[in-house]
């Protein structure tokens, strides 16, 4: 059993970004907080690319 198997309808991240959280490709790091920025150029701290 895979615990990550749950319906897309119940996946908030999927509804927002159109893909599952583990499918998002992370690249650059944020200059402000040092965390990874997602493929859309957004960081959790609110700083964009
Ligand atoms: Zn940041």
């Amino acid at each position: 059993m895979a615990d990550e198997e749950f319906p897309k309808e119940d996946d908030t991240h999927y509804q927002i970004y159109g893909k599952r959280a583990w499918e998002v490709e992370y690249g650059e790091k944020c200059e402000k907080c040092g965390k990874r920025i997602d493929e859309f150029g957004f960081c959790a701290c609110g700083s964009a690319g």
Side-chain angles (χ1 to χ4, degrees):
M1 293 173 63
D3 56 10
E4 72 269 25
E5 293 279 337
F6 61 99
K8 288 184 170 70
E9 295 77 36
D10 293 338
D11 191 331
T12 304
H13 190 280
Y14 184 86
Q15 292 176 13
I16 296 174
Y17 299 105
K19 61 175 62 179
R20 314 304 280 267
W22 53 89
E23 293 175 334
V24 177
E25 298 176 11
Y26 290 91
E28 304 173 50
K29 287 188 176 182
C30 176
E31 295 180 355
K32 304 255 177 140
C33 69
K35 291 182 180 179
R36 291 182 300 178
I37 299 173
D38 68 26
E39 61 181 320
F40 303 106
F42 294 108
C43 175
C45 73
S47 175

